[in-house]
């Protein structure tokens, strides 16, 4: 794909127009106009090449967009009331990945806010009259890890969290996202991220999780939310990351999974879609792009092999098409409004496409029986500077991100160091 631009890469509907193909053409028209402005005119006779030196990450605008959101959202955001723990996670993680300053006042405010959302019986919720939710609990725990420090870490009652997770645990290995709630791979991912972060992994907690995820792999190769349902980028990342925590990605048909992941990158746009015959979306820069380091390790490919997708093409899509140059923040695609969700997932997807993050197959930790093998295996991940691929200005470089946890290595390492200095609930996982 390189930096070649050509309308020959557009979707071909074979002269059978559908609602789907018309929507795809409309998106390609918008993105084509963006890319044409970046084409070097002298290269047009040869097909056109995009001048990638012109790409700039609009850091100051994104910081302002995030800080404005922290200090007050308009009434239209009442729809996010039940998802309030996500807002500090989206905001703080975006700032951290950009290397922006998170001052002490903001750290204290975030800690105090999430403390009020902590449920005494375990888990996090937006308000006292709402049920604790696995997704909200995941967001709250990760936000506290980004904040860092004992005051933030101590917000979580580890023993209450474990008891609540076990209440959500189902006999088939899955987790309900709340009492009486839906069951899907997302619940397993949230539960295992929380448990592996807080040092509350036990044999009973992880029992059956890998087998449930394996049953969710579809004939296409990707992973669906539960058995028998269409494969989806978000559930694929969740399933693969959960298996990485467990140390058993080999329960999947990895070749079929890799093929499905590869065809998620759109040949004209450069970004990813989340399902077959769906439109490109900036958030899949992480929900699909973040799965490539995981499949790389699962297939025991080295840094010399590189990832199985075109990294510069994804960066080009994010920098050229997903940034709102007027308001700041990042978005799904041209024509859409920026929001905190897409801002964070575009940024961590951009980071993972810039840095080669992986594990050296020759030094991979094989043990998965001890609870202490979990942090050891998670922290063997790291960025390989010699394999970075960064388009545009040096200002575009972001902090490397761990593909399982979606946060940078600094706060992740500090959080793991703190929680694994506390007594584990069990020492063996098998």
């Amino acid at each position: 794909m390189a930096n070649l631009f050509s309308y020959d890469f557009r979707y071909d509907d074979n002269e059978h127009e559908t609602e789907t193909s018309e929507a795809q053409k409309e998106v390609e028209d918008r993105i084509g106009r963006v890319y044409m402005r970046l084409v070097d005119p002298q290269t047009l006779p040869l097909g056109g090449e995009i001048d990638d030196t012109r790409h700039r990450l609009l850091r100051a605008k994104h910081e302002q967009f995030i800080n404005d959101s922290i200090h007050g959202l308009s009434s239209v955001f009442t729809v996010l009331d039940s998802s309030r723990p996500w807002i500090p996670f989206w905001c703080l993680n975006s700032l951290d990945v950009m290397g922006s300053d998170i001052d002490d006042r903001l750290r204290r405010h975030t800690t105090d806010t999430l403390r009020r959302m902590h449920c005494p019986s375990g888990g996090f919720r937006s308000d006292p009259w709402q049920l604790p939710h696995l997704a909200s609990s995941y967001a709250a725990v990760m936000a506290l890890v980004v904040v860092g420090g004992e005051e933030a870490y101590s917000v979580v009652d580890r023993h209450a969290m474990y008891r609540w997770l076990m209440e959500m645990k189902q006999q088939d290995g899955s987790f309900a996202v709340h009492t009486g709630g839906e069951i899907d791979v997302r619940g397993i991912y949230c539960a295992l991220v929380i448990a592996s972060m807080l040092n509350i992994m036990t044999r009973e907690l992880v029992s059956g999780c890998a087998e449930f995820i394996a049953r969710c792999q579809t004939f296409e190769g990707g992973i669906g939310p539960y058995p028998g349902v269409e494969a989806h980028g978000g559930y694929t990342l969740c399933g693969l990351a959960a298996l990485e925590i467990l140390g058993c990605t080999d329960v999947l048909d990895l070749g079929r999974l890799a093929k499905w992941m590869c065809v998620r990158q759109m040949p004209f746009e450069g970004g990813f879609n989340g399902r077959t015959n769906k439109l490109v979306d900036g958030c899949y820069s992480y929900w699909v792009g973040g799965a490539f380091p995981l499949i790389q390790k699962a297939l025991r490919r080295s840094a010399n092999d590189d990832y199985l997708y075109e990294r510069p093409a994804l960066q080009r899509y994010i920098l050229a098409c997903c940034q709102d140059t007027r308001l700041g923040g990042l978005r799904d695609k041209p024509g859409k409004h920026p929001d905190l969700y897409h801002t964070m997932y575009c940024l961590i997807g951009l980071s993972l496409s810039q840095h080669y993050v992986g594990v050296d197959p020759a030094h991979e930790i094989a043990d998965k029986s001890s609870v202490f093998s979990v942090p050891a295996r998670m922290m063997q991940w790291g960025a390989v500077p010699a394999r970075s691929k960064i388009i545009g200005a040096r200002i575009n470089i972001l902090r490397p991100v761990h593909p399982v946890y979606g946060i940078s290595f600094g706060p992740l390492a500090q959080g793991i160091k703190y929680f694994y200095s506390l007594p584990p609930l069990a020492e063996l996982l098998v």
Side-chain angles (χ1 to χ4, degrees), residues 33-346:
R33 289 193 290 270
V34 173
Y35 285 159
M36 274 301 294
R37 292 196 291 268
L38 298 170
V39 169
D40 180 350
Q42 296 182 354
T43 67
L44 282 173
L46 302 175
E49 289 186 7
I50 293 175
D51 180 4
D52 281 335
T53 64
R54 297 169 60 185
H55 298 298
R56 297 289 186 277
L57 180 66
L58 306 176
R59 288 176 179 270
K61 284 185 176 289
H62 301 329
E63 288 177 9
Q64 188 63 52
F65 175 79
I66 294 164
N67 284 314
D68 288 347
S69 300
I70 290 171
H71 297 301
L73 294 169
S74 69
S75 59
V76 299
F77 288 94
T78 54
V79 296
L80 290 178
D81 181 63
S82 62
S83 303
R84 284 168 59 198
W86 283 97
I87 296 173
F89 178 48
W90 293 331
C91 290
L92 269 69
N93 199 32
S94 296
L95 292 172
D96 178 72
V97 170
M98 287 193 291
S100 306
D101 180 54
I102 303 176
D103 60 38
D104 290 341
R105 184 178 62 84
L106 178 55
R107 294 179 190 274
R108 287 193 301 271
H109 175 69
T110 300
T111 302
D112 292 342
T113 298
L114 292 173
R115 184 180 288 112
R116 292 193 296 271
M117 296 179 185
H118 186 261
C119 181
S121 60
F124 286 81
R125 57 195 177 183
S126 291
D127 292 296
W129 55 85
Q130 294 180 354
L131 293 171
H133 194 287
L134 260 175
S136 297
S137 299
Y138 157 83
V141 168
M142 298 315 294
L144 290 167
V145 171
V146 173
V147 169
E150 187 169 358
E151 183 181 358
Y153 301 149
S154 63
V155 168
V156 187
D157 183 331
R158 295 168 61 238
H159 295 277
M161 178 68 82
Y162 177 75
R163 290 192 297 270
W164 176 70
L165 289 177
M166 288 304 297
E167 289 175 11
M168 297 302 103
K169 184 70 188 288
Q170 307 298 304
Q171 290 185 351
D172 62 1
S174 65
F175 288 82
V177 294
H178 60 79
T179 302
E182 65 269 29
I183 294 167
D184 55 42
V185 168
R186 172 188 49 151
I188 296 178
Y189 169 72
C190 292
L192 294 187
V193 164
I194 292 168
S196 64
M197 191 73 240
L198 300 181
N199 187 13
I200 55 173
M201 299 273 280
T202 67
R203 184 182 306 168
E204 293 76 17
L205 185 77
V206 305
S207 174
C209 291
E211 292 79 5
F212 182 89
I213 295 169
R215 293 196 298 274
C216 294
Q217 186 171 24
T218 74
F219 73 95
E220 289 184 284
I223 298 172
Y226 47 88
V229 181
E230 181 185 12
H232 184 282
Y235 294 106
T236 296
L237 183 282
C238 287
L240 197 52
L243 291 173
E244 173 62 16
I245 291 172
L246 296 171
C248 52
T249 53
D250 56 354
V251 300
L252 298 173
D253 182 333
L254 295 172
R256 201 150 44 97
L257 174 58
K259 181 178 179 181
W260 182 86
M261 287 168 52
C262 288
V263 296
R264 299 278 66 76
Q265 187 167 33
M266 308 294 278
F268 182 77
E269 301 94 309
F272 293 105
N273 68 6
R275 288 183 286 161
T276 302
N277 284 335
K278 292 296 182 179
L279 303 175
V280 68
D281 187 329
C283 73
Y284 294 117
S285 303
Y286 174 67
W287 291 121
V288 175
F292 278 93
L294 300 172
I295 196 74
Q296 187 86 353
K297 176 176 178 289
L299 293 171
R300 300 188 62 79
R301 290 167 56 87
S302 73
N304 293 329
D305 300 319
D306 207 356
Y307 297 146
L308 292 168
Y309 76 98
E310 183 64 31
R311 292 160 64 190
L314 177 61
Q315 294 179 48
R316 188 177 304 120
Y317 175 72
I318 296 170
L319 293 169
C321 300
C322 295
Q323 298 191 97
D324 190 304
T325 58
R326 185 175 65 88
L327 299 173
L330 291 101
R331 59 196 178 190
D332 166 353
K333 59 178 68 71
K336 299 286 187 176
H337 293 289
D339 58 62
L340 295 172
Y341 168 85
H342 283 92
T343 295
M344 190 191 85
Y345 287 114
C346 284

Side-chain angles (χ1 to χ4, degrees), residues 337-408:
H337 293 289
D339 58 62
L340 295 172
Y341 168 85
H342 283 92
T343 295
M344 190 191 85
Y345 287 114
C346 284
L347 286 172
I348 59 178
L350 178 61
S351 168
L352 284 165
S353 65
Q354 292 176 339
H355 304 281
Y356 181 93
V357 175
V359 175
D360 184 351
H363 299 95
E364 184 178 331
I365 298 172
D367 176 43
K368 58 182 180 182
S369 62
S370 165
V371 69
F372 296 106
S373 71
V374 177
R377 287 188 290 105
M378 292 302 99
M379 293 315 297
Q380 68 181 333
W381 286 83
V384 181
R387 295 299 173 184
S388 296
K389 288 186 179 180
I390 298 159
I391 69 169
R394 300 292 295 176
I395 195 175
N396 296 348
I397 302 176
L398 299 171
R399 288 177 172 171
V401 166
H402 196 296
V404 171
Y405 296 93
I407 65 174
S408 68

